[in-house]
Amino acid sequence: MKKYIYSFLLLPLLLASCFDQPEGVGFLSEAIYLKEADTIYISLGGKAQTDFAWLDNSSLPCTFTIENIRDKNGNRSEQFFEELPYRTWKAPYNFETDKTEEAIMAKLSDLNLPPLMINPVNGQLLYMETTTNLKNPGDVFHMDVRVTNSSGSKVFPDYAILKLSTEKYPYRILEITNGISVVRNGSNNFALYDQINGDPLSPNFEQRRQNIYDDNGKEFVRIQKISDEPAVGIKFIVRMEDSKGKLFAPEEYITYAGTYSYIDVSINRKNTSEGMEVEFPLTPWPAYNNSYDYFYNYLRGPTFNNFNFLDINKLRDDVFAGKAPSLVGLADWPENNWADATAWFVRLRSRVRFEEAGTWKMTIKVPYTSLDGIF
């Protein structure tokens, strides 16, 4: 599996420093615009980037600068130009080598930046988590952008229409899968495989994901923010518990063989009465390959040889009745109902990205399990 490198979106923007425009005759179109962006919804406290500008054959290079951002009354909105402290990457993060806080911090830089920036080379807009400080959510703002090349300079009114959105997702879910694997003849067989993702075999993904966002207790997973500390970076607690709420021993949480997990993209692991706790000095987290890809976490719990803690009979009945999802087909379910199996374990597979600093807790409740043997 290829190494995952954190996408430090600001670096190309910061490196694209001012350069001298060549003198001479060129062409600067009147039809330059920001692609796929009638209205840009800025989720306060979030981070995102837009598409690039359509140059309409304008002579290269072009330089983009923000000329003005106007409120609904036509006045300049100074809040978009106020520079605030912001932590970002100055060198790529590689979780396979950067194992200490010192190694990671050496690749980070604390800068003063406005909450909204424009890439001077391609006209792409980027807004950052410091947008949480912007006032008047729900209001619409008009951005005017100046484009300069060898032909001259023009201001493009309403290059982008900005709307401050209170619809905030401090974490984003692409997938959470709850699994129980039974080990038989040296092979892992996922007798339970409850997927919340966009797979065609995973029904009602949008509704189930919204259940998690709403924290309404309808799903096997709960994600809570339990503290605003740390103010920069993240503390993350993952808790895998049985059907009665008893904690699977966090000191035995490990990365599933041949994959990666939250353990690999974090530091300062602690095992507490609440679960496995890890840290990272920056959000978004976990580190991911690019802005459109989320890190796959494969985390497994302790291995048990005692099947008194697993209600395999109820699991079988529910699988055969279509009440429990499984990766083991009915034709492949052993007639002896895993009587010759040697072990079992629980496993979490997920793609969840946390975009807001603080302390977060993810609780996974695994059905059909009971650490006291009482169901």
Side-chain angles (χ1 to χ4, degrees):
M1 185 178 294
K2 64 182 179 181
K3 297 180 180 179
Y4 280 74
I5 299 175
Y6 205 101
S7 85
F8 42 107
L9 301 177
L10 283 177
L11 190 58
L13 190 153
L14 297 174
L15 292 179
S17 56
C18 297
F19 52 87
D20 293 332
Q21 292 287 347
E23 295 182 359
V25 177
F27 170 66
L28 183 58
S29 173
E30 298 278 356
I32 292 175
Y33 66 91
L34 183 60
K35 294 190 289 185
E36 299 181 3
D38 292 338
T39 300
I40 298 171
Y41 290 86
I42 297 180
S43 178
L44 299 184
K47 180 176 183 177
Q49 59 185 336
T50 69
D51 205 336
F52 308 137
W54 171 254
L55 297 178
D56 191 35
N57 294 316
S58 296
S59 300
L60 297 176
C62 290
T63 302
F64 292 78
T65 57
I66 298 176
E67 183 81 2
N68 198 7
I69 299 179
R70 297 171 282 115
D71 64 19
K72 60 184 178 182
N73 298 317
N75 300 317
R76 182 178 176 88
S77 183
E78 293 293 347
Q79 63 178 341
F80 286 95
F81 301 94
E82 179 184 359
E83 294 189 349
L84 300 166
Y86 186 76
R87 180 173 290 175
T88 188
W89 296 101
K90 61 182 179 181
Y93 163 63
N94 184 339
F95 66 76
E96 293 186 342
T97 58
D98 300 330
K99 298 293 188 179
T100 65
E101 187 170 359
E102 291 74 18
I104 296 171
M105 291 301 296
K107 293 185 172 182
L108 293 170
S109 180
D110 291 315
L111 305 172
N112 288 321
L113 298 171
L116 177 68
M117 303 174 69
I118 190 167
N119 189 311
V121 174
N122 58 30
Q124 181 184 49
L125 300 181
L126 167 68
Y127 69 83
M128 296 166 288
E129 294 90 338
T130 48
T131 52
T132 191
N133 295 285
L134 295 176
K135 304 296 189 295
N136 302 319
D139 279 7
V140 173
F141 298 84
H142 300 258
M143 173 186 285
D144 305 330
V145 166
R146 180 178 294 275
V147 183
T148 305
N149 68 0
S150 58
S151 174
S153 180
K154 295 177 183 177
V155 174
F156 292 82
D158 288 344
Y159 176 79
I161 307 298
L162 314 174
K163 185 170 184 179
L164 303 186
S165 172
T166 57
E167 183 176 319
K168 183 179 178 182
Y169 289 94
Y171 64 91
R172 296 183 180 271
I173 300 170
L174 281 188
E175 174 178 350
I176 302 180
T177 297
N178 195 2
I180 298 175
S181 180
V182 179
V183 182
R184 180 172 180 256
N185 298 326
S187 298
N188 297 330
N189 303 271
F190 282 94
L192 175 73
Y193 202 76
D194 190 0
Q195 301 180 86
I196 301 177
N197 64 11
D199 189 283
L201 298 178
S202 177
N204 306 318
F205 169 53
E206 296 293 339
Q207 181 57 60
R208 296 191 70 185
R209 178 168 62 176
Q210 192 60 49
N211 288 338
I212 302 172
Y213 288 145
D214 293 341
D215 193 22
N216 59 21
K218 294 182 178 180
E219 303 298 340
F220 61 77
V221 58
R222 186 179 188 189
I223 299 176
Q224 307 161 272
K225 186 175 186 181
I226 59 177
S227 173
D228 289 330
E229 295 296 329
V232 178
I234 190 169
K235 183 180 291 185
F236 177 70
I237 301 167
V238 59
R239 176 186 178 92
M240 293 192 284
E241 61 184 31
D242 72 4
S243 62
K244 304 295 181 62
K246 190 171 182 179
L247 177 67
F248 286 100
E251 61 271 17
E252 297 186 51
Y253 296 0
I254 59 174
T255 301
Y256 189 69
T259 60
Y260 298 107
S261 78
Y262 297 126
I263 298 170
D264 301 290
V265 292
S266 62
I267 54 176
N268 300 334
R269 173 178 176 172
K270 298 177 184 176
N271 303 308
T272 75
S273 60
E274 289 301 309
M276 183 186 76
E277 177 184 301
V278 295
E279 299 178 359
F280 200 76
L282 189 71
T283 53
W285 180 85
Y288 53 98
N289 185 26
N290 59 57
S291 60
Y292 304 104
D293 187 22
Y294 287 36
F295 181 85
Y296 263 111
N297 159 75
Y298 291 86
L299 187 69
R300 60 177 286 175
T303 297
F304 296 89
N305 302 114
N306 190 340
F307 278 77
N308 291 331
F309 302 149
L310 176 62
D311 194 346
I312 194 68
N313 293 320
K314 173 64 172 172
L315 176 56
R316 175 201 57 202
D317 292 346
D318 284 354
V319 168
F320 275 71
K323 297 179 180 179
S326 176
L327 285 188
V328 181
L330 300 185
D332 297 322
W333 198 278
E335 292 184 2
N336 63 12
N337 196 27
W338 309 102
D340 57 344
T342 56
W344 66 274
F345 59 88
V346 298
R347 195 200 70 176
L348 166 66
R349 185 176 96 163
S350 62
R351 283 191 292 168
V352 180
R353 187 174 72 196
F354 294 87
E355 300 185 350
E356 183 177 287
T359 300
W360 292 87
K361 183 178 180 181
M362 177 188 290
T363 302
I364 305 295
K365 187 178 290 289
V366 186
Y368 309 102
T369 65
S370 174
L371 294 174
D372 59 13
I374 301 175
F375 293 94

